[in-house]
Amino acid sequence: MRELQALMDRVREYGWRITRQRAIILQTLCELDRHASAEEIHERVALHRRDVDLSTVYRTLESLRDLHIISQTDLGRGCAEFEILDEPPHHHLICTRCGSIHDLGHDRFEAMTVAIHQETGFFPRFDHVPVFGVCSACRQGGRANSVEGTAVPRSVPNKEEQT
Amino acid sequence: MRELQALMDRVREYGWRITRQRAIILQTLCELDRHASAEEIHERVALHRRDVDLSTVYRTLESLRDLHIISQTDLGRGCAEFEILDEPPHHHLICTRCGSIHDLGHDRFEAMTVAIHQETGFFPRFDHVPVFGVCSACRQGGRANSVEGTAVPRSVPNKEEQT
DNA sequence: GTTATTGCAAAGGCTTTGCACACTT
DNA sequence: AAGTGTGCAAAGCCTTTGCAATAAC
């Protein structure tokens, strides 16, 4: 389990109340070793308490994401997936043919962050990037010269209070 | 207008029929100088012919995306956005505070593509990447030390026939 | 006590799907 | 002629929202 207490403190520092629901949801996220959908998180939360509503889960996840406590990413399952943000972050290589997912370190993105910032002034935030493409197995698997994946990654940012 | 004819040829090469609808949608995409949602594309298509159904637009966009003729990206407007794929591709810096969008060249991603491929065997496909973060104006605009953007990028790949 | 949060239930919005008919090849 | 592609209409699915009741501070 991750530093649950520290996370709760952070939430509190932002002026938010620590409700039972939020504590449980945070705890669930900490116990989770990987990304999960709101629905999945809701199910796991129900193991502790069964009276936490799915909408509350959604609202809490949204808040935690806004605080950069968790990442929200769409890995291609048709729904958002959430995960406690690592320090440093990690990313994923997602094969659009077989669906396999492999981890990718942050180094490259750290370098890119610096480079982009220096050259443009824009400060990128690579929290949890899904990198779509074709894995080596699928490339060698005979389909290497076919339509190639038949998929293009797309990305979704968050709703955001805009100044 | 882009090379509409060449694109139609590509579509045909993949064994697909060139229907009036597809031709018009392709033409509309070519005329488009930037990404647009299915709905927006549908509206522009209606300028040519008003009897093209929105579901047809969706189906066509999905197909063109599978062929890597167009990119599908979620820039944060709550819907997918489509655009003819450039060669080389271009990407975007999207400020999660003010919503501004700036272009970003492909060079960095080309380098990352090569590096990732060499080291992992995975072949990334960076067709049209939305890079979320905070623009320099917003950073300097007094909110630099606040909760910082309150948003985390997420990404979505496509449905895909998996082998 | 105040005010932020939650549960419940319903709505929302984008996208997908079934099916009969039409059109491309 | 054969079979893909389309229009129409309805459903799907994840996510959001309104509001009164509840609980944190």
Side-chain angles (χ1 to χ4, degrees), chain B residues 88-139:
Chain B
H90 70 275
H91 314 284
H92 295 291
L93 301 173
I94 303 168
C95 180
T96 51
R97 291 208 187 141
C98 66
S100 68
I101 300 183
H102 292 92
D103 286 352
L104 182 65
H106 186 58
D107 291 0
R108 275 178 260 277
F109 287 97
E110 174 62 30
M112 191 181 270
T113 299
V114 173
I116 290 177
H117 186 227
Q118 286 182 342
E119 295 176 35
T120 70
F122 182 96
F123 193 82
R125 184 102 196 195
F126 295 113
D127 278 345
H128 191 227
V129 180
V131 175
F132 298 100
V134 181
C135 72
S136 54
C138 284
R139 282 221 124 196

Side-chain angles (χ1 to χ4, degrees), chain B residues 50-109:
Chain B
R50 36 184 60 276
D51 60 347
V52 177
D53 195 73
L54 179 57
S55 67
T56 298
V57 172
Y58 269 108
R59 280 187 278 231
T60 301
L61 292 174
E62 178 185 12
S63 304
L64 294 175
R65 175 253 280 154
D66 288 348
L67 260 35
H68 288 286
I69 287 179
I70 63 176
S71 64
Q72 175 173 345
T73 315
D74 195 318
L75 272 1
R77 290 203 296 148
C79 60
E81 309 210 31
F82 304 85
E83 183 176 9
I84 294 273
L85 261 184
D86 288 329
E87 185 54 48
H90 70 275
H91 314 284
H92 295 291
L93 301 173
I94 303 168
C95 180
T96 51
R97 291 208 187 141
C98 66
S100 68
I101 300 183
H102 292 92
D103 286 352
L104 182 65
H106 186 58
D107 291 0
R108 275 178 260 277
F109 287 97

Side-chain angles (χ1 to χ4, degrees), chain A residues 74 96 149 152 154-155 158 160, chain B residues 74 96 149 152 155-156 158 160:
Chain A
D74 194 319
T96 51
V152 163
R154 39 174 163 146
S155 305
N158 308 309
E160 157 122 7
Chain B
D74 195 318
T96 51
V152 164
S155 304
V156 194
N158 307 310
E160 158 122 8

